[in-house]
């Protein structure tokens, strides 16, 4: 090797040195470009996923806040109007709030013993409400609203549809005396699903809403049975945040947030497989 170098002419030595320098510069430039592309691609994926997730969370929280505003308005009327002396006026308040919102199935006020006080519906089925979780939870934690998981047990005996029960302990006035009861607003579950319909999360992307015990409240997938096991495993392991994950053999970006005024968490899973494959191709080149 030393003899070979010694036998090189000055022109050949300069040429080889130049080629080595150029090769090193090209390698460093390629590595730098790949690194910068990778970092910027990651930042772009994270930013886009977070913006999309922010919009999803905002949609749900706006809806939840509108339900709570309705409940607060009804609660104020129940305290200001005496249910015994102004039953008709108060009954009209309950009926009006149920009728102006298409997603509201029923608005009911119950005594703390479970009996009906008044509401938009009077045919509310058999007594046994004190055993319902939404009834017990409202009285146990009086300062917060309780949002149930979807169920088929509507309080109205005439309705057979999947509903969410929103309940809270409230004060109402009867014969000049303040009493404590439970305000129940039943919501049609279809509205919850409709909030996610217009979101494009890519192939295999989906939205989950889970309760505080990690049970599924809502899935944007057509059937709950199709939910990737990886999604549920991640939801149970990670309580909050945004990160990449491999789900169903695809690169996904997962965002987990809490929904205000509820015990729910919302999980948005966005497909970033195409960007991940482009990164791999660029690195390979």
């Amino acid at each position: 090797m030393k003899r070979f170098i010694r036998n090189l002419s000055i022109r050949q030595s300069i040429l080889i040195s130049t080629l080595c320098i150029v090769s090193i510069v090209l390698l460093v430039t390629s590595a730098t470009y790949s690194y910068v592309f990778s970092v910027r691609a990651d930042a772009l994926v994270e930013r886009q996923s977070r913006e999309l997730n922010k919009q999803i969370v905002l949609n749900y929280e706006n809806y939840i806040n509108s339900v709570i505003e309705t409940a607060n308005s009804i609660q104020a009327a129940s305290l200001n109007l005496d249910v015994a002396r102004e039953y008709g006026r108060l009954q009209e308040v309950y009926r009006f709030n149920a009728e102006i919102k298409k997603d509201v199935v029923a608005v009911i006020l119950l005594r703390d013993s479970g009996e009906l006080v008044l509401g938009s519906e009077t045919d509310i089925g058999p007594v046994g409400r004190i055993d319902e979780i939404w009834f017990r939870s409202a009285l146990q934690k009086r300062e917060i609203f309780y949002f149930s998981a979807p169920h088929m047990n509507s309080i109205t005996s005439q309705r057979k549809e999947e509903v969410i029960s929103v309940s809270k302990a409230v004060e109402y006035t009867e014969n000049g005396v303040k009493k404590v009861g439970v305000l129940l607003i039943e919501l049609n579950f279809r509205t919850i699903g409709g909030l996610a319909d217009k979101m494009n999360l890519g192939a295999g992307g989906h939205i989950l809403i889970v309760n505080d015990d990690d049970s599924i409240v809502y899935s944007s997938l057509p059937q709950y049975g199709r939910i990737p096991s990886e999604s549920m495993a991640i939801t149970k392991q990670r309580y909050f945040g945004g990160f990449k994950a491999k789900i169903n053999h695809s690169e996904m970006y997962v965002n987990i947030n809490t929904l205000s005024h509820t015990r729910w968490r919302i999980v948005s899973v966005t497909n970033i497989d195409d960007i991940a494959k482009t990164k791999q191709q660029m690195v390979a080149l």
Side-chain angles (χ1 to χ4, degrees):
M1 185 67 178
K2 291 182 179 180
R3 185 179 298 176
F4 172 76
I5 295 173
R6 288 173 184 170
N7 292 332
L8 291 175
S9 65
I10 294 175
R11 181 178 295 178
Q12 290 173 326
S13 298
I14 293 173
L15 177 61
I16 292 174
S17 299
T18 302
L19 289 174
C20 289
I21 293 171
V22 170
S23 298
I24 292 172
V25 170
L26 287 173
L27 286 173
V28 171
T29 302
S30 297
T32 303
Y33 176 78
S34 297
Y35 173 76
V36 171
F37 175 80
S38 178
V39 170
R40 289 184 176 178
D42 286 343
L44 177 63
V45 166
E46 183 173 348
R47 184 167 62 251
Q48 289 180 337
S49 297
R50 287 187 182 278
E51 287 299 319
L52 183 60
N53 178 73
K54 187 186 296 183
Q55 186 59 53
I56 293 170
V57 173
L58 183 63
N59 288 346
Y60 278 94
E61 290 195 336
N62 284 342
Y63 176 71
I64 290 168
N65 286 334
S66 72
V67 174
I68 290 176
E69 285 177 7
T70 298
N72 288 336
S73 174
I74 295 170
Q75 179 180 357
S78 301
L79 190 59
N80 294 330
L81 297 175
D82 193 301
V83 67
R85 299 168 184 169
E86 300 178 276
Y87 181 89
R89 288 183 61 190
L90 192 54
Q91 178 81 358
E92 188 58 32
V93 170
Y94 279 68
R95 285 180 178 168
F96 175 77
N97 280 279
E99 290 172 359
I100 63 170
K101 294 180 177 291
K102 295 181 179 179
D103 56 316
V104 175
V105 175
V107 183
I108 304 289
L109 178 63
L110 302 168
R111 301 185 191 279
D112 58 6
S113 56
E115 290 87 4
L116 173 69
V117 178
L118 81 169
S120 62
E121 303 284 340
T122 55
D123 187 6
I124 62 172
V127 176
R129 291 171 286 277
I130 58 174
D131 295 325
E132 297 285 354
I133 187 171
W134 54 262
F135 189 89
R136 290 186 282 107
S137 296
L139 291 175
Q140 287 169 0
K141 296 183 177 180
R142 300 186 176 187
E143 69 281 1
I144 65 172
F145 285 86
Y146 175 81
F147 284 74
S148 78
H151 59 89
M152 295 298 296
N153 299 324
S154 173
I155 195 171
T156 64
S157 59
Q158 301 298 322
R159 307 291 286 265
K160 300 296 180 184
E161 56 188 312
E162 199 169 23
V163 298
I164 290 177
S165 298
V166 181
S167 59
K168 187 179 185 297
V170 298
E171 289 185 334
Y172 66 97
T173 304
E174 186 173 25
N175 290 317
V177 179
K178 288 184 180 179
K179 297 183 179 180
V180 174
V182 173
L183 175 64
L184 170 68
I185 300 178
E186 281 192 342
L187 304 173
N188 190 309
F189 182 60
R190 289 195 302 271
T191 302
I192 294 290
L195 294 174
D197 287 346
K198 296 181 181 180
M199 294 297 173
N200 183 11
L201 301 177
H206 51 278
I207 294 173
L208 302 178
I209 298 178
V210 296
N211 217 334
D212 54 354
D213 60 357
D214 291 329
S215 60
I216 297 171
V217 172
Y218 167 75
S219 167
S220 63
L221 296 172
Q223 295 178 348
Y224 287 6
R226 290 184 53 209
I227 297 172
S229 57
E230 298 98 324
S231 295
M232 287 308 301
I234 289 170
T235 301
K236 292 177 181 178
Q237 293 169 4
R238 305 282 292 267
Y239 189 83
F240 184 83
F243 47 89
K244 292 181 184 177
K246 197 83 170 179
I247 297 176
N248 220 12
H249 309 294
S250 297
E251 286 288 338
M252 301 286 189
Y253 198 89
V254 181
N255 280 288
I256 305 177
N257 294 85
T258 56
L259 287 175
S260 61
H261 305 294
T262 74
R263 298 177 181 179
W264 297 345
R265 287 181 297 145
I266 185 166
V267 183
S268 64
V269 181
T270 308
N271 190 313
I272 58 169
D273 210 30
D274 290 341
I275 296 177
K277 288 176 180 177
T278 301
K279 279 178 56 181
Q280 291 175 356
Q281 292 171 357
M282 293 298 298
V283 171
L285 292 173

